[in-house]
Amino acid sequence: MAAVKPDLFTGLNTEQEAAVRTVQGPVLVLAGAGTGKTRVLTTRIAHILGQGLARPWEILCVTFTNKAAREMRERTQKLVGASAEGLQNLGTFHSIAAQILRRHADLVGLKSNFTILDDDDQVRLLKGIFEQEGIDQKRYTPKSFAWQIDQWKNKGLTPDKIKGGEGAEFGGNKGIKLYQAYQDRLRILNACDFGDLLLHNLDILTKHPDILETYHRKFKYILVDEYQDTNVSQYLWLRLLTNTDRNLCCVGDDDQSIYGWRGAEVDNILKFERDYPGAKIIRLERNYRSTEHILGAAAGLIKANTARLGKTLFTDEKGGDKVQVQGLWDGAAEAQFVAEDMERLHKGTRDNDPRKWSDMAILVRASFQMRAFEERFVMLQIPYTVVGGPRFFERAEIRDAIAYLRLIQSPDDDLAFERIINVPKRGIGDATVQKLLQQARLAGVSVMTAVRDLIQTDELPARAKTPLVGFMRDFSRWLDLSKDAQASVLLDTVLTDSGYFDMQRADKTSGQTRLDNLKELGNSMAAFDDLAAFLEHVSLVMDLERDNGGDSVRLMTLHAAKGLEFPVVYLPGWEEGIFPSQRSMDEGGLKSLEEERRLAYVGITRARQEAKISFVANRQVYGRWTNQIPSRFVDELPIENVEATSQTGYQSAGWQSQQSRWDRAGYEPNYTKKAEAPAYGGDLAGVDMRRLEPKARPTPHRQPAPAKPSAKNFKLGERVFHMKFGYGLIVEIEGNKLIVNFETSGDKKVIDSFVDRA
DNA sequence: AACCGCTCGATTTTT
DNA sequence: TCGAGCGGTT
């Protein structure tokens, strides 16, 4: 008779069970795509709790995103019930580090109510410093320096630790000085940025062994999700917090490390065994997601990478469709192909029942590639949702509203002041604001205090003084109100009194959305009884539960697709320079190329049943026509897992022999300039390649069906285009014409071609 | 102080 | 293509 397993383990495979049961000592779980990683983590927590090895708050479980943390909590709850609520230390790196920092803020010169800056504040602060230091802001932008600071902080580098050459040369060798000045300003403002949350933690934990000791006693078990994405400071933080029992379990997949550009170190996972001698390595290789051909194609591709621990995924889903590779003439043809294929699948085919729209996703390398698909979807009226798009809390109106609240919560928040003092326009211009800032700096007080003092004197011209007096009067009324009114009531009052609502209502370009967004902000505040709690939530959880888009096609970047899966996945734009991205390779050479390849791997492995890769011969990029050559990744796909068709002539050349063409042309995988790559039909010997003559605009190979009046299927105010900073809104429907407004610029676009699908 | 029109440049993005 | 940022004008 087989041993009866306790409930918790039923349905787990041998490796998964081992990963759950190996509770003592360091463990690295190498969890390939679709191998049940979250299940292992949640079951492991349940197991630790069930065995009485630790109480809920003695488990430290860190993730990267709030979404992952939320999912982990919910799924653990299903396994252990109410005791999951005691898992106070399940959260993102940043939220847990913030908790710790608030407890010991005084040790790094902050007060425990410090504010957390968003990147907008960060840039504004740097701008001030640049002006003070006389930095040429055309040559050196505050934005690029903000990036540099983030990079330093990701590496755990404080100003004193930077050696020459690591960006120190910024602004004419002023990098370190500017960084130091920035840190000093943060301390004066009682603020820190995201990087500081961890950096200050490191400072506290290394300099105060007694405090470290309390955390060692507290955190009996540590679990880490997506370990391949940890940066140096997160890595150091984990090392510090791991006590001598070393009950550390890191779960990750080196083949899915795609965040190197923001500081993630694949090395962390590669050297786990060296860091924690005697560590157990458990490989999860049984894939529950994809068919054999999809896994085969992905495996063939990732094989080309050198720095990997190595896994071989397998599945019981034998057979299935081969990965489709399509060569197309241009971007419009590609969008047309994808949209028509989706319609075909939506209707149902001989082999498959109808697919829901939401079963299909398009994964692109960069967001500018989305436009062509959106245009086609609007034309065909295929419902689509852009996943990831502009973030709610990053929208200008939301930031403005929050800045008002921040200023009320802590009047010393100079950055909040600067943001809203002339929004809506009060006649307080740049010159006045600069004067106020300077005055405050000289007196060593906050801007609010400086203003309060200044309006008692006659130092300001009446033109600037009058609106300031008015503002201060409003402000003190809000301050009083904040003491007993509900946060959402306060928000409403502030936005009404300040004229902010009026300003937005008067703005014709934005339609209703901005006001709707503000309403949504008010609703989300209702869940918090205290303004401080709400603001903390806003800065750390820059994410609002959004509706899932219903039955619509999903359109997103490859990065946004990590962790998701779809029955059908389209992977367009597999062309050299686009994917792999030229810019990425210019910056990081071979290392970046391997990361791009991992991105391709992530893309393919999102598919459950069908993956469709496409490339084009000609593509418009930012309005310019360019000739494209197929991505080297296409050639790395094993022939036996692929079915190739083409409308460009490329296929007949035999796409699988492309690698040898690269070799003959002396084409190095780590070339640094576009110019070094061979041109189509130029250095390459392949006869068929010449059919793709580099030409100006090609004629579309197929015209869309004649337009019929079907604009009526759209609603006023509907969002149809997703720009980098906002949306396109339907502001008018005139017969068969849609007038779309771009929210930020106010520019108009007319869409007058529709295809009737009835 | 506020607005207009021109030039330039352009991955990936969480907290 | 869009939008940000700048400099010149009202």
Side-chain angles (χ1 to χ4, degrees):
Chain A
M1 197 179 88
V4 178
K5 283 185 183 177
D7 255 7
L8 200 55
F9 294 95
T10 49
L12 292 189
N13 65 42
T14 323
E15 290 72 34
Q16 288 175 325
E17 185 168 338
V20 171
R21 285 194 191 270
T22 315
V23 169
Q24 306 299 332
V27 181
L28 176 64
V29 181
L30 285 173
T35 55
K37 158 192 89 137
T38 309
R39 180 144 189 220
V40 163
L41 274 169
T42 52
T43 313
R44 190 179 165 97
I45 295 174
H47 180 60
I48 291 168
L49 293 175
Q51 295 292 301
L53 296 167
R55 285 163 295 177
W57 56 90
E58 291 170 334
I59 297 175
L60 171 65
C61 178
V62 278
T63 64
F64 277 86
T65 65
N66 292 298
K67 193 175 156 218
R70 217 180 303 131
E71 192 189 345
M72 200 94 79
R73 184 176 298 275
E74 279 160 14
R75 287 177 61 174
T76 310
Q77 200 144 25
K78 285 208 182 105
L79 297 174
V80 302
S83 63
E85 265 143 54
L87 292 164
Q88 299 154 6
N89 299 306
L90 186 163
T92 62
F93 275 99
H94 293 270
S95 71
I96 288 165
Q99 273 180 46
I100 293 178
L101 185 55
R102 290 213 189 272
R103 271 198 288 275
H104 313 288
D106 53 312
L107 298 176
V108 289
L110 292 171
K111 287 180 270 175
S112 78
N113 66 347
F114 62 83
T115 50
I116 301 166
L117 300 192
D118 61 31
D119 45 302
D120 208 63
D121 298 324
Q122 216 180 342
V123 168
R124 200 129 18 84
L125 192 61
L126 284 170
K127 220 172 187 167
I129 293 171
F130 276 28
E131 269 153 30
Q132 216 175 352
E133 297 286 330
I135 302 289
D136 177 3
Q137 297 198 30
K138 272 181 215 141
R139 271 188 75 189
Y140 305 99
T141 64
K143 219 182 167 139
S144 62
F145 194 60
W147 172 256
Q148 178 63 256
I149 288 179
D150 278 345
Q151 293 292 333
W152 279 327
K153 290 187 175 175
N154 287 336
K155 292 201 176 105
L157 296 171
T158 45
D160 53 297
K161 287 189 188 134
I162 294 165
K163 288 162 264 154
E166 297 172 309
E169 68 284 353
F170 191 94
N173 261 331
K174 283 186 165 172
I176 296 170
K177 192 177 170 214
L178 291 171
Y179 184 12
Q180 187 62 59
Y182 171 78
Q183 291 305 111
D184 293 344
R185 286 286 294 147
L186 283 180
R187 205 152 287 160
I188 292 166
L189 289 166
N190 188 32
C192 64
D193 60 25
F194 285 114
D196 279 342
L197 292 173
L198 280 152
L199 229 45
H200 286 323
N201 264 249
L202 294 181
D203 196 27
I204 292 163
L205 297 175
T206 31
K207 287 191 187 141
H208 303 272
D210 50 321
I211 293 173
L212 182 60
E213 177 60 29
T214 62
Y215 288 107
H216 278 172
R217 253 178 283 134
K218 181 169 184 176
F219 298 140
K220 298 208 162 105
Y221 292 88
I222 302 181
L223 293 87
V224 187
D225 190 19
E226 307 275 19
Y227 189 64
Q228 78 282 357
D229 287 339
T230 50
N231 62 32
V232 172
S233 67
Q234 285 156 341
Y235 163 83
L236 292 171
W237 187 79
L238 286 170
R239 285 209 73 162
L240 273 169
L241 287 174
T242 302
N243 63 25
T244 49
D245 290 339
R246 302 192 305 163
N247 294 329
L248 170 70
C249 173
C250 294
V251 179
D253 180 0
D254 49 321
D255 290 337
Q256 290 188 70
S257 167
I258 56 175
Y259 284 111
W261 51 274
R262 63 176 205 214
E265 294 275 344
V266 214
D267 263 13
N268 291 346
I269 195 165
L270 299 180
K271 66 183 183 154
F272 189 86
E273 251 182 312
R274 256 178 294 146
D275 287 333
Y276 301 94
K280 288 227 170 57
I281 314 282
I282 298 170
R283 283 182 163 76
L284 304 183
E285 297 175 301
R286 178 181 290 272
N287 176 289
Y288 295 94
R289 179 185 294 159
S290 311
T291 63
E292 211 179 6
H293 282 308
I294 290 166
L295 290 185
L301 183 77
I302 202 68
K303 216 168 56 192
N305 273 3
T306 50
R308 45 190 303 257
L309 294 167
K311 285 181 278 24
T312 312
L313 298 185
F314 62 95
T315 174
D316 292 340
E317 291 291 316
K318 301 300 172 200
D321 292 340
K322 290 187 173 184
V323 171
Q324 212 184 100
V325 176
Q326 250 322 313
L328 294 146
W329 186 253
D330 65 7
E334 189 181 44
Q336 187 175 351
F337 162 75
V338 169
E340 278 170 9
D341 200 57
M342 284 178 158
E343 288 196 308
R344 189 176 59 84
L345 297 181
H346 186 66
K347 278 199 201 105
T349 59
R350 195 155 33 99
D351 306 322
N352 275 308
D353 289 340
R355 302 266 191 199
K356 285 188 288 178
W357 292 123
S358 55
D359 285 342
M360 303 182 266
I362 301 178
L363 313 184
V364 296
R365 174 68 240 275
S367 41
F368 73 82
Q369 295 172 268
M370 291 182 186
R371 181 83 43 86
F373 294 99
E374 289 200 65
E375 278 179 20
R376 195 73 204 170
F377 288 154
V378 170
M379 196 186 276
L380 296 175
Q381 297 174 64
I382 294 175
Y384 73 91
T385 308
V386 173
V387 178
R391 246 141 265 284
F392 183 75
F393 285 104
E394 280 168 15
R395 317 217 66 217
E397 65 274 22
I398 301 302
R399 283 187 154 163
D400 289 339
I402 287 167
Y404 272 103
L405 296 174
R406 271 168 51 187
L407 197 60
I408 291 163
Q409 163 73 18
S410 51
D412 290 346
D413 192 334
D414 290 358
L415 295 162
F417 177 91
E418 215 183 315
R419 176 160 191 118
I420 53 89
I421 187 59
N422 205 28
V423 181
K425 303 254 187 299
R426 298 189 172 84
I428 301 166
D430 247 16
T432 310
V433 173
Q434 287 311 314
K435 200 186 285 174
L436 295 175
L437 291 176
Q438 200 183 11
Q439 195 71 231
R441 207 155 26 205
L442 281 174
V445 294
S446 72
V447 184
M448 267 306 214
T449 315
V451 172
R452 196 165 293 140
D453 294 343
L454 261 172
I455 55 176
Q456 307 298 326
T457 69
D458 289 327
E459 280 176 54
L460 287 171
R463 210 160 42 130
K465 189 173 159 180
T466 319
L468 274 175
V469 172
F471 176 77
M472 293 307 279
R473 202 168 32 228
D474 285 342
F475 184 79
S476 64
R477 211 173 48 247
W478 299 332
L479 208 54
D480 287 341
L481 187 66
S482 74
K483 297 201 175 90
D484 38 48
Q486 257 205 311
S488 54
V489 175
L490 178 69
L491 179 69
D492 198 65
T493 312
V494 170
L495 295 182
T496 308
D497 287 7
S498 63
Y500 198 89
F501 277 142
D502 288 337
M503 177 188 88
Q504 290 296 353
R505 263 191 292 268
D507 189 345
K508 283 277 176 285
T509 58
S510 63
Q512 223 3 68
T513 30
R514 295 192 195 165
L515 291 168
D516 287 348
N517 286 336
L518 290 168
K519 202 181 287 167
E520 209 173 329
L521 179 71
N523 294 341
S524 73
M525 285 177 77
F528 298 84
D529 28 36
D530 144 33
L531 189 56
F534 176 73
L535 290 174
E536 173 88 351
H537 175 82
V538 166
S539 47
L540 285 174
V541 188
M542 293 288 266
D543 166 22
L544 205 64
E545 285 268 22
R546 279 191 277 191
D547 69 273
N548 58 16
D551 187 18
S552 60
V553 166
R554 302 300 142 100
L555 184 53
M556 67 191 94
T557 63
L558 286 156
H559 284 92
K562 194 161 146 214
L564 305 178
E565 59 175 59
F566 303 90
V568 185
V569 170
Y570 294 84
L571 299 158
W574 281 42
E575 295 131 38
E576 281 298 305
I578 293 202
F579 189 38
S581 144
Q582 188 55 51
R583 186 132 174 224
S584 153
M585 288 186 298
D586 285 350
E587 273 163 29
L590 193 60
K591 215 174 157 196
S592 292
L593 173 63
E594 297 210 341
E595 182 156 309
E596 295 283 308
R597 191 175 282 115
R598 290 193 289 268
L599 207 45
Y601 175 83
V602 168
I604 296 178
T605 53
R606 297 311 94 192
R608 300 183 70 96
Q609 287 148 16
E610 298 181 56
K612 297 165 190 246
I613 292 164
S614 57
F615 58 84
V616 302
N618 299 285
R619 184 183 294 284
Q620 239 179 336
V621 181
Y622 305 125
R624 300 231 159 274
W625 281 98
T626 54
N627 298 117
Q628 302 294 138
I629 50 176
S631 167
R632 68 193 74 188
F633 299 157
V634 171
D635 304 298
E636 289 166 4
L637 301 168
I639 183 76
E640 63 273 20
N641 298 309
V642 172
E643 183 193 312
T645 44
S646 175
Q647 298 172 14
T648 64
Y650 179 56
Q651 179 233 356
S652 60
W655 56 271
Q656 74 275 28
S657 63
Q658 179 65 11
Q659 189 60 57
S660 60
R661 288 206 190 90
W662 293 128
D663 294 344
R664 263 179 290 149
Y667 188 92
E668 292 299 320
N670 56 346
Y671 67 87
T672 55
K673 290 203 190 74
K674 180 86 176 173
E676 290 169 19
Y680 231 154
D683 299 330
L684 294 175
V687 178
D688 299 271
M689 309 299 284
R690 286 199 194 121
R691 286 200 211 162
L692 298 173
E693 283 168 6
K695 270 247 166 66
R697 189 192 170 93
T699 43
H701 69 101
R702 226 193 307 175
Q703 291 297 329
K708 285 187 188 176
S710 44
K712 60 177 178 344
N713 297 327
F714 290 88
K715 287 192 302 263
L716 276 181
E718 207 173 315
R719 293 169 175 178
V720 284
F721 289 99
H722 298 252
M723 306 291 122
K724 194 161 185 177
F725 300 96
Y727 300 99
L729 283 171
I730 299 177
V731 290
E732 240 180 289
I733 301 176
E734 257 184 39
N736 191 33
K737 271 189 197 162
L738 289 186
I739 317 283
V740 177
N741 240 1
F742 293 118
E743 224 193 325
T744 39
S745 62
D747 284 351
K748 280 199 173 118
K749 184 186 181 93
V750 179
I751 300 170
D752 54 7
S753 161
F754 294 92
V755 179
D756 203 341
R757 301 189 305 110

